[in-house]
Amino acid sequence: MEKKEKILELLQKNARLTTSELSERLNIDIEEIESIIKRCETENIIRGYYTLINEDNYHIKKVRALIEVSIRPERDGGFDRTARNIGKFPEVTDVMLISGNCDLQLIVVGENLNDVANFVAQKLAPLDGVLSTRTHFILKKYKEAGFQFENDEDYERLKITP
Amino acid sequence: MMKTMNDSKLPPSRVAKHIDALPNSGIRDFFELVMTMDDVISLGVGEPDFVTPWGIREATIYSLEKGHTSYTSNLGLLSLRQAVCRYVKENYSVSYDPVQECIITVGVSEALDLILRALLEPGDEVVYHEPCYVSYPACIQMAQAIPVPVTTKQENNFSLVADELRQKVTPKTKVVLLNFPNNPTGAVLTCDQKSEIAKIAVDNDLIVITDEIYSELTYEDQCKSIAAFPGMKNRTVFLHGFSKAYAMTGYRIGYACGPKDLIDAMMKIHQYSMLCASIMGQEAALEALQHGKNDRELMKSEYLMRRNLIVKRFNSLNLTCVNPQGAFYVYPNISSTGLDSDFFAKSLLQEKNVAVVPGTAFGNHGKNYIRCSYAVSIDDIELAMTRISEFISEV
């Protein structure tokens, strides 16, 4: 595997790894790691770093909905312009073009049920090019971005084995 | 304890002489000590810290759900033997017939015991290399043969030097027992070394037993098995299993591939003693061979990162450490501390709550070495190394 791929694989699992930690694990010079990361950032390969929060264990709980959206493709640009415009609303955290019964799948976040419902009724549905929406509220999250939210009980191995 | 007069009147041991003569495993004493302590960070483990990949566990559950709870053929499920032989051919370049040249065992440990008992008679000599897995000399003695160690050395990266092996071969030598990648050193054999050792085996009409349990955990290019060298297939017994590559130690599934007459002989002992390996374990092993490659590679890349980290740390503490090319152990030299390994390990445990295994557990020349496993999380390695560093500065 190339150095860049190795670095990105590790950062994708843990964005907080320092360059010196990456260096020790991968046997690559710190300077080289820094320059690879810098380049990935300028080339928009690394788009950002964020923290995954398990809201079940946190006092601030937001309401999230998966929303399927059917849109009218345009002569030039297909779905892209509408998808990008939808993504400009801060309530929308994820926008994906998907195959199947609808065109886009969104994740929309709000303080409460009403927030999300209002967003759909007042902002999303009236948008030029949006034909229909179907909203599914998320009840519980079990796994996100590779992380299980609940671990199995700890199981202790023997401390010394041959 | 004070020796009393009564000791001399103890009745003679009822235990068979060759069992009575076996030493207690050095690792056992240390284990008892560790068990008395809390909050120990252990680099003393000889098994993966990963839980068996979910796909394999799920296959085990499915096996039970279907009610597969019977015996299997003594040799093991034919479907598993077929998968094993295909895997061995693809990865080690040697072909075996799944019907006649392969047996599924309860871990490699059983396979080793079977082949030693099948081959050896009183007075036969078995040449093996030390430091080595704790069971080898004992298993040879239990088969009533004589263990003849060749010491592998740090200056040779703990690999086996053919000339040093040749010097130990006598007319009584019947078997050479190899284990590379090696527990406890992580050493491997190059193709040239395998070729030289094969030549010694052919010239002296020896049988080679090769324990390849760590072979998937080889971090550089891997050479074909010694069984694939000219003249070797008919004199090599290839031992392998699922414990390390697929994190399946508790399943106890291993196998042996080799010439028909030797597999037949192993089968005789196996059918009268063990009967067969557990069927759910065998079905899980089949799943591992069919769909476990991805999980195996993920675990390997994790071990490689940990190796890089731990080797660098040990060397920076002036506990010189060969960069191991396989398995998940490092075997640093602690002579710069002036302590012997038993004392080092005990003091480190008592003062810093870090467990490592003294090199003496793996043979006679281990007093300057400790074995540290990196089958533990990166965080635990970091913490253990910080404590070892403190320990050394206080020596």
Side-chain angles (χ1 to χ4, degrees):
Chain A
M1 217 193 293
E2 269 189 52
K3 288 175 183 171
K4 180 165 81 179
E5 289 164 13
K6 287 183 186 167
I7 293 169
L8 289 180
E9 197 180 288
L10 287 186
L11 285 179
Q12 206 168 18
K13 285 184 197 146
N14 181 1
R16 293 190 64 190
L17 285 175
T18 64
T19 47
S20 94
E21 284 170 330
L22 287 167
S23 160
E24 281 182 325
R25 287 170 204 199
L26 298 174
N27 256 353
I28 303 172
D29 288 343
I30 293 188
E31 292 74 26
E32 194 175 354
I33 287 183
E34 281 167 351
S35 91
I36 290 174
I37 293 176
K38 188 97 224 148
R39 206 164 59 237
C40 287
E41 287 169 345
T42 0
E43 289 171 1
N44 224 348
I45 294 173
I46 294 180
R47 193 60 197 85
Y49 304 86
Y50 78 104
T51 302
L52 185 61
I53 291 173
N54 181 2
E55 287 185 359
D56 283 348
N57 293 341
Y58 184 48
H59 66 284
I60 297 176
K61 296 186 200 324
K62 302 212 168 177
V63 171
R64 287 185 171 73
L66 279 178
I67 303 182
E68 297 170 354
V69 186
S70 294
I71 56 177
R72 190 174 48 241
E74 296 174 334
R75 181 175 290 273
D76 296 316
F79 299 100
D80 288 351
R81 197 182 66 93
T82 315
R84 275 201 295 265
N85 282 342
I86 289 175
K88 284 174 187 163
F89 291 108
E91 293 89 339
V92 178
T93 59
D94 299 71
V95 184
M96 291 154 276
L97 180 66
I98 60 173
S99 63
N101 287 334
C102 64
D103 304 309
L104 298 179
Q105 178 159 296
L106 322 180
I107 296 177
V108 170
V109 64
E111 297 299 325
N112 51 47
L113 230 71
N114 263 348
D115 250 13
V116 176
N118 286 340
F119 171 76
V120 175
Q122 292 167 18
K123 300 279 173 61
L124 182 62
L127 208 65
D128 192 27
V130 170
L131 300 175
S132 72
T133 66
R134 226 180 320 177
T135 303
H136 313 268
F137 283 99
I138 296 173
L139 304 179
K140 182 168 179 177
K141 216 175 242 188
Y142 294 91
K143 187 176 183 181
E144 185 177 337
F147 291 86
Q148 296 262 21
F149 281 174
E150 285 165 23
N151 288 325
D152 288 338
E153 240 173 81
D154 271 350
Y155 166 77
E156 200 172 0
R157 293 182 295 161
L158 296 175
K159 293 280 186 201
I160 300 277
T161 42
Chain B
M1 198 189 292
M2 290 272 287
K3 195 173 168 64
T4 65
M5 292 298 285
N6 286 340
D7 283 357
S8 56
K9 289 181 188 164
L10 280 177
S13 170
R14 294 187 287 186
V15 177
K17 283 193 196 69
H18 67 290
I19 302 299
D20 214 21
L22 294 175
N24 288 319
S25 164
I27 221 163
R28 183 88 225 155
D29 302 340
F30 202 65
F31 176 74
E32 298 299 338
L33 183 61
V34 174
M35 289 299 283
T36 63
M37 301 187 56
D38 292 328
D39 298 326
V40 172
I41 295 182
S42 182
L43 305 181
V45 289
E47 64 175 333
D49 58 319
F50 300 105
V51 63
T52 310
W54 172 243
I56 299 172
R57 283 187 280 153
E58 201 276 331
T60 321
I61 296 166
Y62 185 51
S63 160
L64 286 169
E65 201 173 289
K66 285 184 293 184
H68 292 188
T69 57
S70 60
Y71 293 132
T72 68
S73 136
N74 293 130
L75 285 173
L77 295 169
L78 181 60
S79 53
L80 177 57
R81 282 180 282 143
Q82 285 165 335
V84 161
C85 291
R86 208 174 308 126
Y87 179 79
V88 171
K89 180 162 197 273
E90 281 166 15
N91 292 278
Y92 304 91
S93 313
V94 53
S95 306
Y96 292 102
D97 171 9
V99 177
Q100 298 188 318
E101 297 178 318
C102 176
I103 182 171
I104 308 299
T105 57
V106 179
V108 176
S109 299
E110 194 217 351
L112 178 68
D113 183 48
L114 292 178
I115 186 60
L116 291 173
R117 285 203 275 161
L119 282 172
L120 297 170
E121 292 174 28
D124 286 341
E125 292 178 0
V126 177
V127 182
Y128 68 103
H129 46 91
E130 273 187 358
C132 70
Y133 182 56
V134 295
S135 300
Y136 292 165
C139 283
I140 295 165
Q141 281 169 282
M142 285 193 283
Q144 311 222 29
I146 302 164
V148 180
V150 185
T151 304
T152 57
K153 303 186 186 96
Q154 186 174 0
E155 65 254 36
N156 301 318
N157 294 334
F158 293 106
S159 207
L160 180 58
V161 175
D163 278 339
E164 293 176 0
L165 168 67
R166 193 180 286 110
Q167 284 164 22
K168 298 283 182 174
V169 174
T170 73
K172 289 182 181 166
T173 309
K174 188 162 186 186
V175 169
V176 175
L177 171 54
L178 303 174
N179 167 227
F180 294 100
N182 178 258
N183 174 7
T185 64
V188 299
L189 288 179
T190 63
C191 267
D192 286 349
Q193 286 171 315
K194 284 185 184 176
S195 160
E196 284 180 69
I197 294 166
K199 195 162 177 309
I200 295 172
V202 172
D203 290 348
N204 296 279
D205 194 20
L206 306 175
I207 289 165
V208 171
I209 300 173
T210 176
D211 174 353
E212 310 249 355
I213 191 66
Y214 291 100
S215 66
E216 282 82 1
L217 300 177
T218 303
Y219 302 114
E220 303 296 323
D221 289 341
Q222 191 183 346
C223 175
K224 62 190 177 184
S225 168
I226 191 162
F229 283 78
M232 288 305 292
K233 190 188 161 196
N234 195 38
R235 62 174 71 253
T236 303
V237 180
F238 177 96
L239 308 183
H240 200 357
F242 294 84
S243 294
K244 312 299 158 129
Y246 300 97
M248 291 174 67
T249 47
Y251 280 86
R252 310 306 306 124
I253 302 293
Y255 56 86
C257 295
K260 178 178 182 304
D261 59 329
L262 299 186
I263 296 296
D264 281 349
M266 291 171 75
M267 162 71 178
K268 264 191 198 167
I269 306 172
H270 177 75
Q271 71 183 352
Y272 291 132
S273 53
M274 197 61 74
L275 218 160
C276 68
S278 82
I279 185 168
M280 46 288 233
Q282 293 191 52
E283 294 195 341
L286 182 59
E287 169 68 19
L289 287 180
Q290 287 171 339
H291 303 113
K293 187 175 179 192
N294 215 8
D295 288 310
R296 202 180 74 206
E297 292 298 321
L298 274 174
M299 291 188 274
K300 179 176 163 182
S301 65
E302 188 68 28
Y303 288 131
L304 178 60
M305 284 190 285
R306 299 168 180 185
R307 181 203 70 173
N308 293 341
L309 174 69
I310 200 168
V311 168
K312 191 174 167 207
R313 291 295 165 88
F314 269 116
N315 282 320
S316 73
L317 295 176
N318 201 24
L319 303 186
T320 59
C321 181
V322 169
N323 192 19
Q325 298 301 315
F328 42 59
Y329 307 105
V330 285
Y331 198 62
N333 186 327
I334 55 160
S335 49
S336 64
T337 63
L339 306 178
D340 74 56
S341 66
D342 289 346
F343 187 80
F344 183 102
K346 264 188 196 150
S347 315
L348 178 65
L349 179 64
Q350 281 159 347
E351 288 171 31
K352 299 289 173 189
N353 283 29
V354 175
V356 300
V357 182
T360 47
F362 308 100
N364 285 327
H365 295 78
K367 73 176 173 51
N368 289 330
Y369 298 92
I370 53 172
R371 186 195 76 175
C372 298
S373 163
Y374 50 90
V376 295
S377 72
I378 287 252
D379 290 346
D380 277 0
I381 292 176
E382 296 264 16
L383 194 51
M385 291 312 299
T386 307
R387 294 190 189 176
I388 290 175
S389 160
E390 288 167 10
F391 173 75
I392 288 171
S393 64
E394 293 162 16
V395 165

